[in-house]
């Protein structure tokens, strides 16, 4: 009886994994919204659990299926929570590393001032060159 129960546990875990993979694949292919993907995952888990329950012949087997489904759902919840925590931590880190508004404005003002200075220098050189040309041609060099 133990090998049957172990096989049942393995099947439930595998089916939950396959269901999740199928949902994610369908979601990618069809461009479904995330809420729809979750609904599909729940539907697949329910269908697989109901199929396993139909194969159960004793109360002990049904209890085993209940426990396995419960554990699988809790594992999914923990995985989602962990991924959510990672996303939040990444967003917080990015927000902390991003320059604040004052730094951006100060940096921008410095860049604008440097650009203006460069343009003034170029304008002065151009004016000087044009003045030299207006004064007459330079003597020919032999």
């Amino acid at each position: 009886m133990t090998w049957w129960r172990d096989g049942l546990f393995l099947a439930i875990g595998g089916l939950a994994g396959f269901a999740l993979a199928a949902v994610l694949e369908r979601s990618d292919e069809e461009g479904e919204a995330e809420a729809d993907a979750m609904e599909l995952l729940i539907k697949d888990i329910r269908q697989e659990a109901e199929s396993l329950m139909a194969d159960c012949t004793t109360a002990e087997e049904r209890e085993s299926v209940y426990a396995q489904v419960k554990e699988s759902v809790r594992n999914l919840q923990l995985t989602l929570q962990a991924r959510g925590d990672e996303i939040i931590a990444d967003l917080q880190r990015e927000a902390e590393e991003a320059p604040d508004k004052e730094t951006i404005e100060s940096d921008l003002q410095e860049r604008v001032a440097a650009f203006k200075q460069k343009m003034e220098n170029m304008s002065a050189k151009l004016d000087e060159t044009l003045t030299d040309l207006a004064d007459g041609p330079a003597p020919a060099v032999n």
Side-chain angles (χ1 to χ4, degrees):
M1 183 72 142
T2 340
W3 63 269
W4 192 88
R5 184 180 310 152
D6 291 343
L8 182 64
F9 288 152
L10 182 61
I12 291 172
L15 291 173
F18 284 126
L20 179 59
V23 168
L24 294 175
E25 186 176 315
R26 274 190 250 154
S27 178
D28 288 344
E29 292 175 358
E30 299 172 9
E32 295 175 0
E34 288 181 21
D36 292 340
M38 285 300 287
E39 289 298 320
L40 286 172
L41 176 60
I42 292 167
K43 182 180 176 183
D44 284 346
I45 290 172
R46 180 183 301 275
Q47 288 174 346
E48 294 299 330
E50 288 173 352
S51 174
L52 288 170
M53 289 299 291
D55 293 338
C56 292
T57 56
T58 67
E60 183 180 86
E61 290 172 349
R62 284 190 289 279
E63 288 299 321
S64 175
V65 171
Y66 297 148
Q68 225 17 75
V69 169
K70 187 175 184 176
E71 182 180 343
S72 295
V73 170
R74 282 192 180 154
N75 287 339
L76 287 173
Q77 289 173 329
L78 292 174
T79 300
L80 289 172
Q81 181 65 40
R83 298 294 181 202
D85 291 344
E86 288 174 13
I87 291 168
I88 290 169
D90 288 345
L91 292 174
Q92 288 173 336
R93 189 173 32 260
E94 288 174 13
E96 290 172 0
E97 293 173 358
D100 60 359
K101 186 177 180 179
E102 292 172 359
T103 304
I104 292 172
E105 288 176 1
S106 172
D107 198 32
L108 181 61
Q109 288 174 356
E110 289 175 14
R111 290 176 43 211
V112 168
F115 176 76
K116 286 172 102 176
Q117 184 62 44
K118 185 187 275 187
M119 295 309 292
E120 287 174 6
N121 290 344
M122 288 176 62
S123 180
K125 286 183 182 181
L126 179 61
D127 188 41
E128 183 181 312
T129 302
L130 291 175
T131 301
D132 288 348
L133 287 176
D135 288 343
V141 178
N142 288 348

